[in-house]
Amino acid sequence: MNADPIDNERKSEQARQSRTRPTWPMLILGGTLAAASIYLVAVLGLTFYWCQQPATFEVAATIPDSAFAADGKPIPGSALVSTTIRIGETLLDKPGGFLYNDIAPPGILIDNCPSWECGVLMALRDTLRSLRNDFSRSQSQSLENDDVKRADLQFAIDPKSWMFPTAEDEYRQGLDALKQYRDTMAGKPGGGHFFARADNLADYLNVIEKRLGNQASRLSSSIANQALTAALIPNLDGTLTTAAAPDTPTQTPWDQVDNVFYCTRGYSWALLHVMQAIAIDFRDILEAKSAQSLVQQIIRDLQGAIQTMSSPMVLNGDGYGVFANHSLTIASYISRVNASVLDLKTLLQDG
């Protein structure tokens, strides 16, 4: 007996639908892939947004009205202290906040921005240490200023600390101490002082000279081509930039090249504002030493070191190859800054 054609067609349609109907495992897999794709896009978007270098700010605008004397000039030290506070606030309040101590995605997946933060933090610590040891004391036997001492200690905490206490909380307490110090400089009880002397400034320049020299050496080690490195970044005595001999070249690991680059960018960004503040607070000293042009040269080279990149990633080319070498490019700026800092220090000491 022949089968009903209608039944056969119905059975064929049911079989076809059973083959095309998604099963639960397929639905789960599809949902997982969709969620992962959305998460990846969100992380990439946050990475791009969070890792944009903060814009530079006007140093003179950070000085509060209470820090101006009767003649309309800012109280010595008010520019440097106010700038240090603003740098710290930018470090903590920029998009994404402070990422260096993040232990969960997406922050833990980002390394360029935390490296930039590391450079800014180094510059802050250098400035705070000089404020504590030199600028706020009339001589080496003088008592330390309690507010500056507290700020220095608060910023000494490990930046990776994420609870009990968090690094951000400690840094904010340090900024509060700096604000208290600035208030006492403006005439409030407490006797905060700032000594804008040539020897104090020379001591600070000695600190950043060593820091810049270290960063230039790390940057120049992005490739093992010693001849190219020496041609681009010679030391003042004409020797090679790196400490190693030409036959034993050292090279920064490939996965650390961008970290060193962004660390230097962060340090340069902070140091640019510090030098602009020094140009205000030490105007009389710099004019007496005919050193203003050197400070302006340092500022111009630091602006060159932090200029906007057109490449989405740090390139590590070699010589006249197809790709640029961003590490050696910024290292050339840093070496010029270091040379100018050395000339300025010598002029302050001997000029």
Side-chain angles (χ1 to χ4, degrees):
M1 182 175 179
N2 295 331
D4 189 349
I6 297 177
D7 288 341
N8 290 338
E9 184 177 351
R10 185 184 301 114
K11 292 178 180 179
S12 298
E13 181 66 21
Q14 291 176 348
R16 185 165 52 252
Q17 289 179 356
S18 65
R19 288 194 300 268
T20 58
R21 184 184 300 121
T23 61
W24 281 111
M26 292 178 62
L27 289 173
I28 293 175
L29 178 60
T32 302
L33 291 176
S37 299
I38 294 173
Y39 179 77
L40 180 61
V41 171
V43 168
L44 291 176
L46 286 175
T47 299
F48 178 79
Y49 178 58
W50 288 355
C51 291
Q52 293 294 307
Q53 179 174 263
T56 57
F57 56 84
E58 184 63 37
V59 167
T62 66
I63 307 174
D65 294 338
S66 60
F68 285 87
D71 59 0
K73 294 182 178 180
I75 298 171
S78 59
L80 181 58
V81 176
S82 298
T83 297
T84 304
I85 293 171
R86 179 65 178 275
I87 292 172
E89 291 174 342
T90 302
L91 177 67
L92 298 176
D93 299 331
K94 61 179 176 55
F98 188 69
L99 301 175
Y100 198 88
N101 59 350
D102 281 11
I103 60 171
I108 198 173
L109 304 176
I110 302 171
D111 64 345
N112 291 342
C113 191
S115 296
W116 185 90
E117 293 172 344
C118 180
V120 174
L121 186 58
M122 286 195 302
L124 275 173
R125 288 174 169 176
D126 289 345
T127 305
L128 286 171
R129 186 56 53 88
S130 292
L131 275 171
R132 177 181 178 180
N133 292 338
D134 302 308
F135 295 135
S136 64
R137 305 172 67 186
S138 60
Q139 54 187 358
S140 59
Q141 285 78 26
S142 301
L143 293 175
E144 293 180 328
N145 180 278
D146 289 338
D147 293 322
V148 178
K149 177 182 177 181
R150 182 159 63 92
D152 182 40
L153 293 176
Q154 298 298 135
F155 272 91
I157 189 174
D158 184 358
K160 289 187 176 295
S161 177
W162 58 278
M163 65 182 306
F164 305 133
T166 65
E168 295 96 318
D169 289 342
E170 295 295 296
Y171 296 159
R172 291 193 189 279
Q173 292 180 33
L175 295 178
D176 290 340
L178 275 183
K179 293 175 182 177
Q180 178 65 27
Y181 170 61
R182 183 180 60 186
D183 289 342
T184 60
M185 287 169 51
K188 292 187 178 180
H193 300 286
F194 185 93
F195 298 94
R197 299 199 312 260
D199 59 329
N200 286 345
L201 180 54
D203 288 338
Y204 172 66
L205 294 175
N206 190 52
V207 173
I208 64 174
E209 178 195 351
K210 293 181 174 64
R211 185 76 72 182
L212 291 170
N214 174 66
Q215 290 302 112
S217 295
R218 296 178 68 198
L219 289 165
S220 65
S221 298
S222 63
I223 59 174
N225 189 332
Q226 295 287 333
L228 177 60
T229 298
L232 287 175
I233 318 168
N235 283 335
L236 295 178
D237 58 0
T239 59
L240 294 180
T241 306
T242 56
D247 57 343
T248 57
T250 58
Q251 185 174 6
T252 303
W254 67 271
D255 59 337
Q256 295 295 316
V257 169
D258 59 336
N259 295 339
V260 175
F261 175 85
Y262 280 102
C263 178
T264 305
R265 291 263 290 188
Y267 190 87
S268 300
W269 183 90
L271 183 60
L272 168 64
H273 297 95
V274 170
M275 293 306 300
Q276 290 173 333
I278 285 174
I280 296 174
D281 287 333
F282 290 84
R283 179 182 291 108
D284 295 338
I285 296 295
L286 296 174
E287 288 180 352
K289 297 285 188 177
S290 300
Q292 287 181 312
S293 60
L294 275 174
V295 175
Q296 294 305 314
Q297 181 63 49
I298 292 172
I299 291 173
R300 285 193 296 270
D301 286 332
L302 288 171
Q303 289 171 335
I306 65 169
Q307 60 187 309
T308 303
M309 288 177 58
S310 58
S311 172
M313 64 182 66
V314 177
L315 301 179
N316 196 38
D318 187 3
Y320 291 105
V322 176
F323 298 106
N325 190 301
H326 291 134
S327 295
L328 293 186
T329 299
I330 192 175
S332 65
Y333 283 108
I334 295 302
S335 294
R336 290 208 301 268
V337 171
N338 204 15
S340 298
V341 166
L342 178 59
D343 290 342
L344 178 58
K345 183 183 71 171
T346 302
L347 188 58
L348 291 171
Q349 293 174 334
D350 306 327

